[in-house]
């Protein structure tokens, strides 16, 4: 049951982003509205939608950090699904925590660099 939820939740979030973008009526970014500057996640919905349409190059151009997070989420879903189907742990808990920490740190760094680049445009 937990494995199903762990796989379904990120996939539902990715699907919802694509659906929201296709409807065309997205809420404006509050950060941009208040400051006039793009936020670190600006372009994220477009990035996810482009990923779902198998256009990773454009997704990275829209927002590299969100693209990295989406790929990370899908990879984690795949691992959880694989472990659920095979009833076997593929990574030791310590190794899993180390990899997750490094991956999230990397994604945060990509988001920060992407934001600095967006502010410079």
């Amino acid at each position: 049951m937990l494995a199903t939820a762990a796989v379904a939740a990120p996939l539902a979030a990715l699907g919802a982003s694509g659906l929201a973008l296709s409807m065309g009526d997205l809420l404006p970014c509050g950060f941009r509205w208040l400051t006039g500057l793009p936020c670190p996640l600006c372009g994220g919905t477009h990035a996810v939608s482009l990923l779902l349409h198998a256009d990773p190059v454009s997704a990275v151009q829209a927002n590299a950090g969100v693209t990295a997070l989406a790929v990370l989420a899908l990879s984690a879903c795949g691992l959880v699904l694989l472990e659920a189907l095979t009833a076997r742990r593929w990574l030791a808990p310590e190794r899993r925590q180390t990899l997750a920490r490094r991956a999230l740190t990397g994604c945060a760094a990509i988001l920060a660099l992407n934001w600095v680049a967006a502010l410079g445009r």
Side-chain angles (χ1 to χ4, degrees):
M1 185 68 147
L2 183 59
T4 303
V7 171
L11 292 179
L14 291 173
S17 293
L19 179 63
L21 189 60
S22 69
M23 293 170 52
D25 291 331
L26 295 176
L27 293 173
C29 173
F31 185 86
R32 183 174 278 219
W33 181 78
L34 286 172
T35 65
L37 300 171
C39 77
L41 300 176
C42 278
T45 304
H46 289 282
V48 170
S49 178
L50 290 164
L51 262 181
L52 293 173
H53 287 95
D55 190 356
V57 173
S58 296
V60 169
Q61 290 171 346
N63 190 314
V66 170
T67 301
L69 284 171
V71 169
L72 179 64
L74 289 174
S75 300
C77 289
L79 180 61
V80 169
L81 184 60
L82 180 66
E83 288 180 349
L85 292 174
T86 61
R88 176 177 175 231
R89 284 260 188 212
W90 289 86
L91 289 174
E94 311 83 41
R95 181 78 174 135
R96 181 186 303 258
Q97 287 178 348
T98 301
L99 284 174
R101 200 174 308 117
R102 287 181 181 166
L104 290 175
T105 301
C107 287
I110 293 169
L111 272 172
L113 290 172
N114 189 66
W115 191 31
V116 168
L119 290 172
R121 288 186 211 135

